[in-house]
Every structure is written in C-alpha cells, then in structure tokens.
C-alpha cells in the first residue's frame, strides 16, 4: 500500500535513507551521509511530499518516494532487504501517475540506479559535479507521453 508519510514513519524513513545511501554510494564516505541525517529529518523530509510503501500484512514501511518543488524526486529508497521486488518501480509509477513530469539527480557511479531510471522512461539531459560530494551526477527527466 502506498500512502502519505505520517510523523510516526520518520524513524523508518530515516533508517532507510541512511542504509540506502551508504549501500548505493560506496564512493562517498559514510560520514557524509551520517552528517546529513539531522538536516534530512528537520528540513528535507518536512518540505517534501513523501509517499511510503507499507506492507499489507505487517504495516511496516519498506520504501519511500520524496518529491519536492512539485516534480523533483529528492529520493526514492527501498529497504535493502526488500529490494528487487518491484517496490521501487511501484513507488516511481505512483509518482508518475500524479505528476506529468519528473526530474532527479543521480550519481553517475550509481549504475544500478541510472539503469533503473532509464528502464522507467527517464533520460539523462545534463552532467555536472555535485558540489557537496565532489562526485559526478546527471540530471534525468521524465515526461508523460
């Protein structure tokens, strides 16, 4: 089930965000992500529209999609133990059903994520350097047909 995030979902979402970032970005020091955790909780998540994927049986939050500025995907994360089950695709399709266009930045070295977004209709339009990490990233966009 996909629904809007509730306040009580925050710990699970933050845990997923930290675990997902450290797993998907071994080229960025873990300390960077740990240092962003408080800002994530107090600034980024409250300013985004966050949809969570909750299991039907246990009602456990195992994925989330955060969208800011009406069409920018600030994050799409699935609990590491639940990856490969179509949850990320389901969350992304949910967002694509709401917004006529979406954009996001993805690190070029995160090849798994780049391929995922390409398979789901996103196109790379620009490559730049992420000033915060010094790592190359690309802007990807999707528009409803």
């Amino acid at each position: 089930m996909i629904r809007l995030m509730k306040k009580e979902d925050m710990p699970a979402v933050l845990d997923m965000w930290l675990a997902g970032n450290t797993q998907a970005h071994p080229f960025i020091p873990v300390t960077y992500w740990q240092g962003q955790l408080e800002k994530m909780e107090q600034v980024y998540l409250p300013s985004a529209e966050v949809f969570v994927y909750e299991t039907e049986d246990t009602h456990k939050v195992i994925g989330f999609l955060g969208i800011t500025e009406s069409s920018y995907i600030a994050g799409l994360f699935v609990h590491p133990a639940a990856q490969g089950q179509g949850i990320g695709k389901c969350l992304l399709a949910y967002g694509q059903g709401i917004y006529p266009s979406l954009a996001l930045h993805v690190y070029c070295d995160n090849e798994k994520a780049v391929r995922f977004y390409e398979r789901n209709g996103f196109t790379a339009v620009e490559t730049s350097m992420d000033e915060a990490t010094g790592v190359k990233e690309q802007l990807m966009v999707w528009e409803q047909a």
Side-chain angles (χ1 to χ4, degrees):
M1 174 175 93
I2 297 175
R3 60 170 173 77
L4 282 171
M5 184 178 93
K6 299 175 188 172
K7 187 177 183 176
E8 59 265 22
D9 299 325
M10 185 69 79
V13 166
L14 289 170
D15 286 347
M16 246 183 299
W17 178 85
L18 184 58
N21 274 311
T22 56
Q23 178 190 42
H25 310 118
F27 45 87
I28 296 174
V30 173
T31 53
Y32 171 77
W33 301 114
Q34 292 167 334
Q36 297 297 309
L37 199 55
E38 186 176 331
K39 193 181 285 184
M40 187 70 179
E41 179 180 14
Q42 295 178 4
V43 178
Y44 298 130
L45 287 172
S47 67
E49 189 168 29
V50 181
F51 303 97
V52 298
Y53 186 100
E54 180 182 82
T55 60
E56 288 183 34
D57 51 352
T58 62
H59 302 288
K60 183 178 178 182
V61 172
I62 58 172
F64 76 93
L65 169 69
I67 301 178
T68 62
E69 301 169 17
S70 300
S71 64
Y72 184 81
I73 297 178
L76 172 60
F77 291 88
V78 175
H79 189 282
Q83 290 179 1
Q85 299 175 24
I87 295 165
K89 183 177 176 79
C90 187
L91 282 163
L92 185 59
Y94 190 85
Q96 289 172 319
I98 296 171
Y99 299 97
S101 65
L102 293 167
L104 59 92
H105 282 91
V106 62
Y107 292 114
C108 297
D109 289 341
N110 187 352
E111 295 172 6
K112 183 178 176 183
V114 171
R115 286 192 308 272
F116 170 79
Y117 290 116
E118 288 173 341
R119 281 194 313 270
N120 287 282
F122 284 76
T123 304
V125 295
E126 178 183 297
T127 301
S128 60
M129 192 67 68
D130 176 17
E131 291 181 24
T133 61
V135 176
K136 193 164 68 168
E137 65 182 358
Q138 56 187 5
L139 174 64
M140 299 185 81
V141 297
W142 168 85
E143 290 191 22
Q144 202 170 45

